[in-house]
Amino acid sequence: MSKKNWASHRQAKDEKMQRVAPLLEGKFAKTSDVVKILERLLNSGDKVVLEGDNQKQASFLSKALASVDPEKVHDLHMIMSSISRPEHLDIFEDGIASKMDFSFAGPQSTRVSQMIADGSLKIGDIHTYLELYARLFIDLIPNVVLVAADKADKDGNLYTGYNTEETPVIVESAAFKDGIVIVQTNEVVDKLPRVDIPGDWVDVVIPADEPYQLEPLFTRDPQHITETQILMGMLAIRGIYEKHKVQSVNHGVGYNTAAIELLLPTYGEQLGLKGKIVPNWEINPTPTLIPAIESGWVQSVHSFGGEVGMEKYIAARPDVFFVGKDGTMRSNRAFGQMAGQYALDMFVGSTLQIDKYGNSSTVTEGRLSGFGGAPNMGSNPTGRRHSTPAWQSLKPDDNPLGKGQKLVVQMVETYGANKRPVFVDKLDAVEVRKEAKLANVPIMIYSEDTTHIVTEEGIAYLYKTSSMAERQAAIAAIAGVTPLGMTSDTATLNDLRNRGIVALPEDLGVRRTDAKRSLLAAQNMSDLIEWSKGLYNPPAKFRSWS
């Protein structure tokens, strides 16, 4: 009986590393040798993680991967949290890769849809971020990971700084299961500000020819916030934040939530809510939160990633942000998703479509954008056991074994920027499932998890409904002049209002005429700089004021 080799994976890794030994000095390779390195370390069919969340991109390595010879490397199974750059899809057209498991594809969503239709891209599954990270340790264990760092020292220790983001979880999944860890670094230094990834976890370090790509994803210019969005922000503060005494929150990306952030020091102050709501946040260091921080509304902010231009401001506010002894923020996308799912009172986000039942999706006809982290934030985690007043406020009165629920809020204008109704009879995602050959309809947030919907018409308190018919009626009541909204009638609306299932602005004491831009704590980017005492440095593309 032959003796079993219990270290075959380790042996295979050692054999791979021998292929590149002549090209390495210790752990380091020359910038010019990056394509050779990849061609020797990648086997056709390998599972490969390419770091590329919705902000930080291992762009030097992604361009190099698109340059390998498809005769030498082909049919890779790519695992990416975000499909963000053109070469992320070029590799499929060239045959270098054939299958993709991912979370988000906002910048490339239209092309993803087209490539699925023509058969050049096969989708494994669309995931939430946390779900994708989890599978790296179960059934998507990577053979090779490609990640980005700010700095590396001579021993291969890495500093990832403000934008640590998803680097640790990706690296760990490979480093402890005989995968190969390849790192692009902006520079090599003698001493790091701090060690974020130990060199023992790293196999190859390649100095990049330019810094990794970084997107200011959460930056919103206040000058683009409309009076409709201000009205919706006032409704949300009065009818949800105050009503439920919300202490911890995550805001999605968008002008609706930016309006809320800029209304806290003004409208929130008028309502006497300072010190009573939202001291704790799980959110990127969004610049529109600066006035609320400076006004004393915010006690703590933990972030998924950094935000370009906020570095000096964060370093000067360590009581609020998670800042190391070196003076720079530490972000962690996996921990942020976990906190968003289990530790928050409330998630407030937006979407592209909501059906008559309350299911929502950002997957629409001709656009497969995926989910990102919204389903983690926007779900009611049944494993949660700790209670807070906001969570408890949704507990049913008639069930002795009942429990509370996370507040999951969708804020949408009844018609989107494309002038199409947000409220629809059937989600486009139903047909997309068939086209993409997915097992399930790609719904972002399910009706059962959605507790509130806010539009310019009012608020639907869906958690108060007792039947699907009543839920549909509540949604229609605040759906405006969309086809769904036109099914509502005055008698039903008044009944829902009387029972507190729907609230219009006048029911909440909100005057539509008060929803003026003058109510925002900052009118433009210049105001945000002034609030920050000159510490905020907006990216160039936002410096357009006169």
Side-chain angles (χ1 to χ4, degrees), residues 80-93:
M80 295 184 61
S81 61
S82 180
I83 306 170
S84 301
R85 294 172 57 87
E87 65 267 19
H88 293 170
L89 294 174
D90 293 345
I91 59 176
F92 289 88
E93 292 183 340

Side-chain angles (χ1 to χ4, degrees), residues 467-489:
S467 68
M468 187 54 73
E470 193 170 70
R471 178 172 286 248
Q472 290 182 44
I475 294 170
I478 49 93
V481 294
T482 64
L484 179 61
M486 297 299 287
T487 66
S488 183
D489 60 77

